[in-house]
Amino acid sequence: MSSISRDQVAHLAMLARIDLSDSELTRMSGELAAILDAVAVVGEVASVDVPAMSHPVRLLNISRPDEVRPGLTPDQALAGAPQSQGQRFEVPRILGEE
């Protein structure tokens, strides 16, 4: 089991600009030791034969080819609009400018 002293925790807290009480320093020394042990276990598992990865599952980007297809006509696009003017959507004015 790794051990990290109370003084080392105080030094780390000072570097991180974290104000810890005496009881928190004592408690954190045990918690940081457990974290260091967990990191050591992961370090033992990592091998040269195992490639590094950024995600636990393989990511696959599924895409389709770009194909030109006919779109809506202006009349079809404006069919559901509450108001239209010419071939444009008419919306309420939000600015007091012309």
Side-chain angles (χ1 to χ4, degrees), residues 8-86:
Q8 289 172 318
V9 174
H11 181 69
L12 289 172
M14 185 269 306
L15 291 175
R17 302 206 189 318
I18 299 172
D19 188 22
L20 296 177
S21 67
D22 289 337
S23 63
E24 290 172 324
L25 287 172
T26 304
R27 188 187 64 193
M28 288 301 293
S29 65
E31 290 179 8
L32 288 175
I35 291 170
L36 290 175
D37 289 340
V39 170
V41 170
V42 171
E44 291 173 5
V45 173
S47 170
V48 181
D49 299 337
V50 179
M53 52 195 295
S54 62
H55 297 282
V57 294
R58 176 167 272 138
L59 297 178
L60 180 62
N61 188 9
I62 300 173
S63 60
R64 61 175 174 76
D66 288 335
E67 297 174 356
V68 178
R69 294 190 264 173
L72 298 174
T73 66
D75 291 334
Q76 290 171 327
L78 294 169
Q83 295 178 332
S84 63
Q85 181 180 20

Side-chain angles (χ1 to χ4, degrees), residues 76-93:
Q76 290 171 327
L78 294 169
Q83 295 178 332
S84 63
Q85 181 180 20
Q87 290 187 345
R88 299 184 203 128
F89 292 99
E90 189 173 349
V91 295
R93 178 172 290 165

